[in-house]
Amino acid sequence: MTAVLDLRALSVDLPLGGFLTRARLPILCDVSLSVGRGESVALVGESGSGKTTLARAVMGLTPISGGSVFFEGQRVDGDLARLRRNAAMMFQDATASLSPRLTVGYLVTEPFRIHGLPLPDPAATARDLLARVGLPPAIARRYPHELSGGQARRVGVARALALDPRLVVADEPTAGLDVSVQAEVLNLMHDLRAGMGLAYLVITHNLALVRHVADRVVVLYLGRVVEEGPTARIFAAPAHPYTASLIAAEPKPDPRRRRADLAIRGEVPSVLRRPAGCEFHTRCPLVRDLCRSTPPDLVPVGDGRQARCHFADQRQDKQGERHAVDHR
Amino acid sequence: MSALLSVENLSVSYRIPGGRLRALRDVTLSVRRGEVLGIVGESGCGKSTLAAAMIGLLPQGATVEGGAIRLEGEDMRHLSPDRQRGIRGRSVAMVFQDPMTAFNPVLTIGRQVADFTGAHGQRLPQAEIAAMLERVGIPDPARCLGRYPHELSGGMRQRVAIAAALLMRPDVLIADEPTTALDVTMEAQIIHLLRALRADFDGAIVIVTHHLGVIAELCDRVAVMYAGEVVEEAAVDDLFHDPRHPYSRALLACDPAVVIPGTGHLPTIGGRVPDLSVLPAGCAFAARCPLADALCRTSPPRVAGQGRSVLCHRAATQVAP
Ligand SMILES: Nc1ncnc2c1ncn2[C@@H]1O[C@H](COP(=O)(O)OP(=O)(O)O)[C@@H](O)[C@H]1O
Ligand SMILES: Nc1ncnc2c1ncn2[C@@H]1O[C@H](COP(=O)(O)OP(=O)(O)O)[C@@H](O)[C@H]1O
Ligand code: SF4
Ligand code: SF4
Ligand SMILES: [Mg+2]
Ligand SMILES: [Mg+2]
């Protein structure tokens, strides 16, 4: 079956800025990932890892400098209309992404106007869309600033659903929401997927969200995929030290499980100063000499997973000792 | 040990068009030396208003309708404005969610922190400031002093804000959502930093957050706020392992970080925090509470419980689930 979205060796460079230089800065390097029909894939990584750039490149909002984007088997090549008609973006800051002077009813039906599609009964369409995200019809007359955070997020979802997309790209869909509202948004995403066969590319640094919505996880570091695989396997036994650090850094909602040490120090280095060798070596707790000079490749590590680390294989072997013995 | 900072029966309201919004109602809470107190609850429950009241920095339009705020037993509201200003920053210092808004974008970090210390006592030399920046984990502190706020990441700005607060050698450090704007790794680092500071800082720390993970990792005691009231106060272990108030239970139950994955649907609380300008007659949580009965809808509950306080009619009769 063809994937809904297929990124093949996608690269994005951005101009360095300044008058005298034409130099360009690599932001995304050789990113390949695919999202199957009805599948939910999470893209994770710290701020600055390139998640938003990837979402923008997929939606054609940022030009790509290498590789290609395939939507339902066809290459997206300058012709963005089909992609934008069938894929929708859910923005991180729901309230700010909604134009303040327009009513909710107008906003959720706006995609029809943008794409010049027939809209015989706007009020009825608005009502249906709002109902799908669990909002009462009266909300249609309100303005964005009159909505709570959770309501604004739902309006964002309703708008994304207007044209019956097959893919929703959601950038931090629960950021800044209370846990009670986060749970509602996650349930809504779950229902839409079950009911409409929607596929998601969810961009987040919230691992709790990943565990609940994603079938597969793609971990980005400095614009490169460092690990990729099924969610349950990755959380059970991360193959890449960066993934392991992210999981360990998550605060545990249980005072009896406080962690004493710090899982990961420092911050993502600037894209202006990419470290040599393995780009994670400056923060990696398991760094060895080889890592400082030689960049590792993204290689299969079993279980349908890939990792970009010289020693991922050895760790996987240790984690699945019996497994390894059986196969040798 | 006696309380370092306490609020007693504090009520605060905001003037709003056509009435008043009761942001805090009869809040009693204290923090002792060496302790980390957490304040948790959904947004709009009054956490920031309480934090601002504790440092005597309530915004325009806020009125203290009753109660007292005491620093080592002394009612802060009865002090002269000069003394109050002295206490602010020096005895009680505050760190906010997004330190960017607290910084002036056109001045260097070194200049601003020096100005800040000057405004609250004596202007400290750059060397002393650099030493504190180092203490809070800023690499290359000398270079940091010469930088502008936008040149630092969110995590680094938060560290600078914490350093500036600590330079005042406060007795109480209040942090309002200190990690909310940061990603997991920075959040873990700030939690780690606050834990380390607590070891050699003999004051008290108050952490305001809506993130239960931060409370569990960092606090000794927790106050759960709902609709302007403290509905449960407990030792952190008790709150997470034996929550007594129906709101505390609901809040813990719906946290996606707690719920076992693969369950499809997460529990939700349903409904939302009531409008604080038209509060219901009985318990403010009644409209969302699975245990609400006729009594709850007509008469407000009073604090009950031994060793911990729970604001609920059913606190004594409830059996743990
Ligand atoms: N318009 C731009 N010009 C220059 N650099 C940019 C631009 N947008 C993003 N970047 C840089 O690209 C990197 C990735 O950013 P982003 O995609 O926003 O990451 P994320 O969403 O994971 O936080 C960062 O180092 C950021 O500074
Ligand atoms: N300056 C203000 N004027 C009017 N109402 C306010 C003001 N600040 C906060 N409020 C209201 O007071 C209530 C409590 O707000 P806040 O203390 O910020 O809660 P929290 O920090 O728990 O989100 C909310 O209903 C909020 O809308
Ligand atoms: S290659 Fe080396 S530095 Fe990179 S992640 Fe693996 S162990 Fe760490
Ligand atoms: S007083 Fe009644 S409504 Fe309020 S929390 Fe207790 S049981 Fe629920
Ligand atoms: Mg982003
Ligand atoms: Mg607040």
Side-chain angles (χ1 to χ4, degrees):
Chain A
M1 211 160 73
T2 48
V4 177
L5 180 71
D6 200 2
L7 308 183
R8 301 195 192 154
L10 185 76
S11 296
V12 171
D13 298 343
L14 291 172
L16 195 50
F19 295 111
L20 299 175
T21 166
R22 290 254 176 98
R24 297 179 67 87
L25 208 54
I27 305 291
L28 290 177
C29 314
D30 249 357
V31 175
S32 295
L33 71 84
S34 77
V35 184
R37 193 166 301 280
E39 192 186 27
S40 172
V41 174
L43 186 66
V44 305
E46 290 161 283
S47 355
S49 54
K51 306 183 297 295
T52 298
T53 304
L54 185 133
R56 294 180 54 85
V58 166
M59 298 304 292
L61 301 167
T62 290
I64 65 180
S65 43
S68 41
V69 177
F70 286 78
F71 187 75
E72 297 189 324
Q74 263 174 275
R75 184 164 170 174
V76 179
D77 228 353
D79 171 27
L80 289 162
R82 197 176 62 93
L83 173 85
R84 289 198 183 148
R85 164 94 179 62
N86 294 299
M89 176 108 188
M90 231 172 107
F91 290 95
Q92 176 165 2
D93 187 345
T95 316
S97 69
L98 300 171
S99 170
R101 293 161 193 283
L102 302 176
T103 62
V104 166
Y106 189 93
L107 284 165
V108 297
T109 51
E110 203 181 18
F112 288 91
R113 300 173 229 267
I114 292 172
H115 291 272
L117 297 170
L119 183 63
D121 187 349
T125 306
R127 209 177 321 117
D128 288 352
L129 285 169
L130 292 173
R132 265 156 83 183
V133 298
L135 290 173
I139 292 264
R141 290 191 299 275
R142 297 220 205 148
Y143 290 89
H145 71 268
E146 297 170 324
L147 303 175
S148 70
Q151 288 171 330
R153 209 64 60 109
R154 279 165 188 270
V155 169
V157 179
R159 189 180 144 97
L161 295 178
L163 304 181
D164 273 323
R166 287 184 294 272
L167 172 72
V168 169
V169 178
D171 194 359
E172 300 286 3
T174 62
L177 298 177
D178 285 312
V179 283
S180 51
V181 187
Q182 276 188 35
E184 285 175 31
V185 172
L186 297 189
N187 290 347
L188 174 65
M189 290 175 69
H190 178 269
D191 292 347
L192 292 171
R193 193 176 153 203
M196 307 171 45
L198 258 186
Y200 291 108
L201 178 60
V202 182
I203 293 173
T204 184
H205 63 255
N206 180 346
L207 297 176
L209 169 67
V210 175
R211 276 196 292 263
H212 285 286
V213 303
D215 303 311
R216 273 191 311 120
V217 186
V218 176
V219 184
L220 274 189
Y221 190 73
L222 272 174
R224 253 184 250 279
V225 175
V226 297
E227 178 159 10
E228 188 257 321
T231 307
R233 297 289 309 127
I234 287 196
F235 276 95
H240 196 282
Y242 180 56
T243 317
S245 309
L246 284 181
I247 294 171
E250 203 189 7
K252 310 289 175 289
D254 180 354
R256 294 180 191 170
R257 288 164 56 218
R258 283 183 183 175
R259 54 171 304 129
D261 58 326
L262 198 53
I264 185 168
R265 288 168 199 281
E267 322 193 273
V268 182
S270 157
V271 284
L272 290 166
R273 282 184 294 277
R274 286 178 178 273
C278 171
E279 293 183 329
F280 186 56
H281 88 250
T282 52
R283 300 169 79 197
C284 183
L286 304 175
V287 58
R288 301 190 210 170
D289 281 344
L290 173 67
C291 311
R292 297 192 179 89
S293 56
T294 314
D297 290 324
L298 187 65
V299 294
V301 290
D303 282 348
R305 308 162 63 180
Q306 303 188 81
R308 190 187 292 280
C309 169
H310 292 304
F311 309 106
D313 261 337
Q314 296 169 21
R315 271 191 300 279
Q316 286 307 100
D317 288 354
K318 239 185 265 157
Q319 278 158 350
E321 212 113 59
R322 230 172 350 138
H323 205 73
V325 172
D326 288 348
H327 291 268
R328 270 172 212 187
Chain B
M1 221 173 156
S2 69
L4 191 52
L5 180 68
S6 64
V7 298
E8 288 162 19
N9 307 102
L10 184 70
S11 293
V12 171
S13 66
Y14 290 103
R15 269 191 308 281
I16 55 165
R20 65 185 179 131
L21 183 151
R22 305 185 60 193
L24 294 180
R25 288 176 295 135
D26 212 10
V27 170
T28 296
L29 197 60
S30 62
V31 56
R32 293 180 278 270
R33 214 171 262 288
E35 183 180 52
V36 182
L37 171 72
I39 300 177
V40 71
E42 286 166 286
S43 37
C45 283
K47 304 182 298 297
S48 293
T49 304
L50 178 57
M54 282 177 156
I55 188 176
L57 266 182
L58 282 169
Q60 286 265 313
T63 315
V64 175
E65 304 203 315
I69 303 154
R70 295 183 197 280
L71 187 66
E72 293 190 284
E74 207 179 351
D75 190 339
M76 288 211 276
R77 294 206 300 141
H78 296 151
L79 300 175
S80 70
D82 262 8
R83 267 282 281 147
Q84 278 197 26
R85 218 168 302 125
I87 283 175
R88 218 154 36 231
R90 252 197 299 172
S91 299
V92 188
M94 183 124 174
V95 173
F96 299 92
Q97 171 172 346
D98 182 6
M100 194 62 191
T101 54
F103 288 120
N104 181 335
V106 301
L107 298 178
T108 62
I109 294 292
R111 167 84 194 277
Q112 291 192 59
V113 177
D115 288 356
F116 174 80
T117 60
H120 289 283
Q122 92 200 75
R123 211 181 151 82
L124 295 175
Q126 297 284 302
E128 197 166 327
I129 296 172
M132 185 58 87
L133 292 182
E134 180 148 34
R135 174 76 192 80
V136 300
I138 289 185
D140 203 350
R143 187 148 158 268
C144 177
L145 289 173
R147 303 189 120 195
Y148 293 90
H150 71 267
E151 296 179 300
L152 303 180
S153 69
M156 287 302 151
R157 284 199 292 266
Q158 197 56 285
R159 284 170 205 263
V160 172
I162 292 171
L166 291 176
L167 282 166
M168 305 289 88
R169 313 205 174 287
D171 289 314
V172 185
L173 176 69
I174 302 178
D176 191 356
E177 306 275 3
T179 65
T180 302
L182 308 176
D183 58 28
V184 269
T185 51
M186 263 318 124
E187 177 171 78
Q189 292 181 24
I190 296 290
I191 288 173
H192 200 78
L193 168 64
L194 289 170
R195 270 203 208 138
L197 289 176
R198 138 191 218 178
D200 52 27
F201 164 66
D202 86 319
I205 300 179
V206 178
I207 304 288
V208 174
T209 181
H210 67 272
H211 190 164
L212 290 160
V214 174
I215 296 278
E217 289 279 358
L218 201 53
C219 300
D220 302 315
R221 214 148 47 80
V222 193
V224 180
M225 290 195 73
Y226 186 75
E229 294 174 299
V230 172
V231 296
E232 177 159 4
E233 192 193 321
V236 70
D237 196 81
D238 290 340
L239 184 82
F240 281 83
H241 291 282
D242 179 23
R244 299 277 175 85
H245 193 282
Y247 178 63
S248 311
R249 291 186 180 173
L251 205 57
L252 288 166
C254 69
D255 185 350
V258 180
V259 181
I260 299 100
T263 45
H265 266 223
L266 300 172
T268 57
I269 307 186
R272 67 171 55 134
V273 181
D275 182 343
L276 302 185
S277 60
V278 279
L279 282 164
C283 171
F285 188 56
R288 303 169 84 186
C289 180
L291 302 178
D293 59 15
L295 173 67
C296 302
R297 292 196 187 87
T298 51
S299 99
R302 283 191 307 199
V303 172
Q306 307 121 329
R308 53 198 287 194
S309 57
V310 183
L311 186 68
C312 172
H313 288 304
R314 312 275 290 259
T317 56
Q318 257 183 69
V319 255

